[in-house]
């Protein structure tokens, strides 16, 4: 096993793990039962309260934002946004401000030569179904420096002690730019060779299993999805990939897996090269402004700061609420905090199309007010919080196309949760749709075709793909 | 020629141009004479004035900063900086704030199959020697949207009309993080095939010539250096590079060129792979904060806002001054503006060392208050504004080593100017020093070895290398 890891690159071990859906420990169907059990075993109570009932949180007299008395965790701020992008040149909104970079980390270990990921059945207050599969470690800096004086997060010491040769992936990636102000996390995967303790609620799964479980609604949490989305699978020559695909073909349960495999592994042959894609982005960043200034929450235009919620006067977008939370298996058992509650379910979808024999994704450059660097690559359709079903026909490119896709075009279609530590029961429909000949190669302005291999390159260099795009890429399966 | 550009990648045309020091138009020595001529021909007058004598500029009553009455161009702001990096946890300072992304662009064209760059003999008020070689186009957004109602910048339409297949390079890169707040420019190189007018003060030069001219003090301006630093030269197999190097060896005038060539073109064999370097940076970004808040200029701690300058009470770092400027060949002939004047000359130096048969650069991760993303890759030694000659021995890693380098170790040693549009007669010593066996492979914390090929990869993905590192990389020559 040691010799194995010396000879083969990390990407190859990821690739093998992505093909294994029978892990050494639990079958996927058993995992779902196991999560149900966890769900039943744990006591949970979430009660909406008034802002003035929040324990340890208050409205800052000068800044007019909501903050924790330690100044840590996060704040709910009001912002005024000005931009030359799109049709709305300025607006006000509340936003979550959490400038610290936290850990989202997996420990991996090889069993019978196959990389397994140590997942955790973790409760978050806002989760639709309470318990979801999360990374080994999910910790804000406030968490692991123990501002809340709770228990030290389990396994943190493995990450803090990791040496370069044990680190398989280590990226800084963004969160929702419409909800978080420049929030980023450290997405990290480390490898251990020795035995380690497997605590209650933890379970080793292969990458193939995690991806398989994404076929079920609201099982794999957002933090797991962002970390696994960044996993690259290496580069191979065209004929090598073709032969892989040929060898695998007769075993594959659907025909899409082979297309994704080819698109993921093939270095050359894309419609645009990396430099052209960077130029596409450079042009957009150079010609659009994004200016964000703070405004007290009670002075936001078109938003009402009520005693138990902050909401848009047309009840659009989202609300900020306050909640009392009591949970059994978290580091701190009882606390209160603000949460963000969506106005309705959203839709994130990629249109994919075979071009020059390689599957390409129609990627959108999208400006969101909380973005670290003006625009990020987003799914073809992303209307997270808008009332997309009532949007004027044709107003949003590809929206009608996605909603009217024929069953044989649908590669992926599930509900996935947003981060339950900040969002109250928010789930979005995640779809991947195979284009037919109707979809031309020419795309609207601010859209560009990219292969999976190219998306993995941008993922590596941080802050290029938004979390909605990453969530969909996490769902890509070769099986 | 058309067939040529279809068959060979852009990087190959850059590579060939870097080897040509006899351009089709003027020899390098003639270029220096030509610049001298330009210098003599032009009328220039720069007079220091009081801030209240500035035309169109004033001190904002609320913000306490210096700004143009249009709100465009740039402002001089006061900031308070807090960081967990280094030994100084907080400080105040003035800073230049220019949020718009401007153009720094070259037009290139092939003559006799060799790519030539259209350079401009351009005066900037702050330049030590007034006229320097600048890119074809150097324009802030205020410039090209003509806020100052001057002439439209020459050649701008070529850049605005450029199609993807004419764009050879297109990157967003930072400026001095200690002096500019998150300033970035669009570094762009385009190609034309048809004849274009060559206006007065413009001249076609090869890349090899531009690099050759960097051997002379203060000839090639900062904007030229940043654009050419981003030029990649492609990837080749080890034995191909070795044979290039073998073929070239007997013609090369010094022995360093071959080392740089190998380090630039070889894809594999570096001490650390790209993922390890990204992880090195991720760790630093995740564990260090940088918090910048605005403070009125007259309330900056340890800075004095006099009637004709803003200066540090110990006369360290830099001063902000006001100047009346009259110049013959600029878009606007007469204006006044604030400028930044350094307290003394600085030093930027790379230590390079052959490791595993490939030249590696000792790169420093450096936090500067104006950085877009906390830290950037910087030269081994960068003490731009500190009084480095009087620094305590050993206080700054490699400083003594650089200053005591033996002549045979010195690859490059010249004075290079900072941007004369903002800085008043600022020049820094730029050095590249070949390490002997004394320099171990183990480096201090926050330093890492990288090959040129790896540096070019990070350059491509924007905002990774700071301008001081880029200025030195621009000087790297294969000859």
């Amino acid at each position: 096993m040691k010799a194995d890891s010396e000879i083969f690159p990390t990407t190859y071990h990821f690739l093998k793990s992505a093909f294994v859906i029978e892990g050494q420990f639990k079958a996927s169907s058993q995992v779902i039962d196991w999560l149900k059990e966890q769900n039943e075993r744990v006591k949970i109570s979430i009660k909406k309260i008034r802002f003035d009932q929040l324990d340890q949180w208050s409205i800052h007299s000068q800044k007019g934002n909501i903050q924790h008395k330690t100044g840590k965790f996060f704040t709910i701020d009001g912002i005024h946004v000005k931009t030359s992008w799109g049709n709305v040149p300025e607006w006000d909104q509340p936003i979550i401000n959490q400038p610290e970079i936290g850990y989202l980390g997996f420990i991996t270990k090889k069993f019978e030569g196959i990389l397994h990921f140590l997942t955790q059945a973790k409760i978050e207050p806002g989760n639709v179904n309470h318990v979801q599969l999360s990374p080994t470690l999910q910790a804000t800096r406030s968490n692991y420096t123990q501002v809340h004086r709770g228990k030290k997060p389990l396994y943190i010491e493995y990450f803090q002690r990791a040496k370069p040769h044990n680190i398989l992936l280590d990226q800084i990636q963004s969160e929702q730019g419409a909800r978080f102000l420049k929030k980023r996390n450290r997405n990290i995967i480390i490898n251990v060779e020795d035995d380690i303790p497997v605590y209650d609620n933890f379970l080793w799964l292969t990458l193939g299993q995690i991806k398989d479980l994404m076929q079920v609604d609201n099982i794999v949490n957002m933090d797991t999805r962002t970390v696994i989305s960044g996993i690259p699978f290496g580069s191979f020559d065209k004929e090598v990939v073709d032969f892989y695909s040929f060898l695998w073909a007769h075993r594959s349960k659907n025909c899409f897996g082979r297309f994704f495999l080819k698109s993921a592994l093939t270095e050359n042959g894309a419609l645009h090269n990396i430099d052209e894609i960077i130029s596409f982005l450079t042009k957009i960043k150079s010609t659009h402004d994004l200016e964000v200034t703070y405004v007290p929450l009670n002075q936001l235009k078109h938003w009402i700061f009520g005693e138990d919620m902050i909401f848009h006067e047309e009840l659009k977008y989202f609300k900020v609420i306050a909640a009392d939370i009591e949970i059994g298996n978290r580091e701190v058992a009882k606390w209160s905090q603000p949460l963000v509650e969506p106005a309705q379910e959203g839709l994130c979808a990629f249109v994919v199309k075979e071009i020059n024999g390689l599957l390409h994704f129609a990627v959108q450059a999208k400006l969101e007010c909380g973005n670290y660097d003006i625009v990020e690559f987003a799914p073809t359709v992303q209307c997270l919080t808008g009332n997309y079903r009532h949007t004027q026909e044709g107003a949003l490119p590809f929206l009608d196309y996605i909603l009217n896709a024929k069953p044989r075009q649908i590669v992926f279609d599930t509900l996935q949760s947003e981060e339950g530590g900040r969002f109250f029961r928010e789930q979005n429909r995640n779809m991947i749709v195979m284009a037919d000949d109707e979809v031309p190669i020419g795309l609207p302005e601010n859209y560009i075709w990219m292969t999976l291999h190219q998306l993995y390159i941008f993922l590596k260099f941080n802050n290029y793909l938004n979390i909605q795009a990453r969530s969909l890429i996490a769902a890509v399966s070769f099986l």
Side-chain angles (χ1 to χ4, degrees), chain A:
Chain A
M1 211 165 80
K2 202 138 193 180
D4 188 38
S5 68
E6 276 159 23
I7 297 168
F8 296 113
T10 299
T11 48
Y12 181 59
H13 295 294
F14 284 135
L15 183 60
K16 284 209 292 193
S17 185
F19 274 85
V20 176
I21 46 168
E22 297 93 27
Q24 292 291 306
F25 299 91
K26 266 192 172 56
S28 298
S29 60
Q30 290 178 302
V31 176
I32 294 171
D33 292 340
W34 176 72
L35 287 171
K36 269 192 199 141
E37 254 170 61
Q38 301 279 336
N39 233 326
E40 284 158 14
R41 243 169 49 192
V42 84
K43 195 179 148 269
I44 177 156
S45 137
I46 296 165
K47 223 175 62 193
K48 293 192 185 179
I49 55 173
R50 295 195 312 269
F51 289 115
D52 65 10
Q53 291 174 310
L54 280 168
D55 182 31
Q56 316 273 332
W57 294 80
S58 60
I59 294 150
H60 192 277
S61 56
Q62 267 185 301
K63 295 182 187 165
N65 66 353
I66 301 174
Q67 56 175 52
H68 193 262
K69 76 170 193 183
T70 57
K72 297 280 173 178
F73 300 108
F74 62 92
T75 56
I76 304 284
D77 291 345
I79 57 169
H80 178 69
V81 184
K82 269 174 84 171
T83 177
S84 54
W85 180 272
N87 304 321
V88 186
E90 45 189 316
W91 70 89
D92 284 358
Q93 70 166 77
I95 200 159
I96 307 169
N97 194 346
Q98 187 175 353
E100 296 171 352
I101 296 179
Y103 271 113
L104 303 179
F106 273 112
I107 295 179
T108 63
K109 181 174 159 64
K110 261 177 251 156
F111 296 96
E112 305 289 325
I114 300 299
L115 215 55
H116 283 63
F117 292 64
L118 190 57
T119 60
Q120 181 187 4
K122 188 169 166 55
I123 298 179
E124 289 289 358
N127 283 353
V128 176
N129 48 349
H130 305 319
V131 178
Q132 295 190 358
L133 271 186
S134 84
T136 321
L137 177 69
Q138 196 174 308
T140 61
R141 210 189 291 173
S142 298
N143 261 162
Y144 66 80
T145 55
Q146 297 175 60
V147 174
H148 61 357
R149 296 194 218 103
K151 277 181 288 179
K152 207 170 109 181
L154 290 171
Y155 300 107
I156 179 93
E157 65 277 14
Y158 291 90
F159 292 90
Q160 290 176 325
R161 285 195 314 234
K163 294 271 167 289
H165 70 276
N166 295 122
I167 298 175
L168 308 188
L169 177 146
D170 194 3
Q171 305 168 342
I172 292 182
Q173 301 289 3
S174 60
E175 297 211 8
Q176 290 87 331
R179 304 290 185 75
F180 282 104
L181 190 61
K182 300 189 176 183
K183 171 92 184 88
R184 303 190 298 175
N185 283 308
R186 180 175 184 184
N187 290 221
I188 182 166
I189 302 178
I190 62 171
N191 186 46
V192 296
E193 285 174 4
D194 300 328
D195 283 342
I196 61 165
V198 174
Y199 298 110
D200 233 22
N201 312 327
F202 285 83
L203 176 65
W204 293 107
L205 293 174
T206 66
L207 184 52
Q209 284 186 292
I210 298 173
K211 284 174 174 285
D212 195 37
L213 286 161
M214 279 195 69
Q215 301 280 344
V216 187
D217 291 349
N218 298 315
I219 288 287
V220 177
N221 87 346
M222 173 54 93
D223 296 327
T224 299
R225 275 137 54 209
T226 171
V227 180
I228 71 164
S229 75
I231 293 175
F233 299 100
S235 299
F236 299 86
D237 286 336
K238 220 168 71 176
E239 63 274 23
V240 175
V241 180
D242 196 67
F243 200 60
Y244 285 166
S245 164
F246 168 79
L247 288 174
W248 184 252
H250 68 284
R251 295 198 46 190
S252 180
K253 68 179 174 189
N254 73 53
C255 63
F256 297 124
R258 284 193 305 142
F259 290 116
F260 286 113
L261 182 67
K262 248 174 131 164
S263 183
L265 302 187
T266 312
E267 191 166 358
N268 300 306
L271 187 63
H272 307 287
N273 65 33
I274 289 287
D275 295 289
E276 285 165 0
I277 299 167
I278 290 173
S279 179
F280 161 86
L281 202 60
T282 296
K283 188 177 174 186
I284 293 172
K285 286 186 183 178
S286 303
T287 46
H288 288 97
D289 297 313
L290 171 61
E291 204 188 308
V292 174
T293 46
Y294 290 103
V295 177
L297 285 167
N298 61 8
Q299 289 172 28
L300 292 174
K301 248 179 230 153
H302 304 301
W303 290 81
I304 294 156
F305 196 160
E307 64 175 17
D308 58 356
M309 61 169 112
I310 304 171
F311 58 101
H312 189 265
E313 58 188 20
E314 295 171 33
L315 299 176
K316 292 199 290 191
Y317 312 119
F318 59 87
K319 300 183 287 199
V320 179
I321 59 169
D324 246 342
I325 296 156
E326 217 178 306
I327 285 185
N329 74 350
R330 259 188 84 97
E331 293 91 21
V332 171
K334 191 176 181 330
W335 74 95
S336 67
Q337 69 168 76
L339 284 169
V340 169
E341 183 176 353
Q344 68 271 314
E345 182 189 303
L347 172 70
C348 299
F350 266 123
V351 171
V352 296
K353 183 182 170 73
E354 204 175 19
I355 302 169
N356 304 339
L358 279 180
L359 207 63
H360 283 66
F361 288 60
V363 179
Q364 179 189 175
K366 192 169 170 65
L367 179 140
E368 293 187 289
C369 62
N371 282 354
Y372 201 86
D373 192 4
I374 311 173
V375 288
E376 293 184 3
F377 290 131
T380 322
V381 172
Q382 179 188 322
C383 36
L384 242 177
T385 51
N387 198 350
Y388 67 83
R389 283 175 205 280
H390 301 111
T391 304
Q392 203 187 328
E393 202 177 321
L396 206 56
F398 295 104
L399 177 58
D400 298 328
Y401 188 78
I402 293 280
L403 295 177
N404 299 317
K406 297 175 194 74
R408 62 171 168 75
Q409 291 181 267
I410 296 174
V411 181
F412 184 76
D413 185 5
T414 59
L415 293 173
Q416 299 294 343
S417 298
E418 301 305 308
E419 220 267 283
R422 300 288 172 270
F423 300 112
F424 185 69
R425 298 191 185 153
E426 172 150 22
Q427 53 182 1
N428 291 292
R429 189 172 174 193
N430 277 223
M431 293 178 76
I432 301 178
V433 169
M434 186 72 77
D436 49 24
D437 294 341
E438 259 184 65
V439 173
I441 289 192
L443 288 176
E445 214 193 331
N446 303 328
Y447 290 73
I448 194 164
W449 292 110
M450 293 167 65
T451 65
L452 252 182
H453 193 271
Q454 293 179 321
L455 287 166
Y456 290 136
I457 291 175
F458 283 107
L459 271 162
K460 185 184 289 212
F461 287 92
N462 306 335
N463 266 97
Y464 278 96
L465 271 76
N466 78 359
I467 198 162
Q468 290 84 2
R470 281 164 17 235
S471 176
L472 285 163
I473 288 168
V476 164
S477 171
F478 307 137
L479 304 176

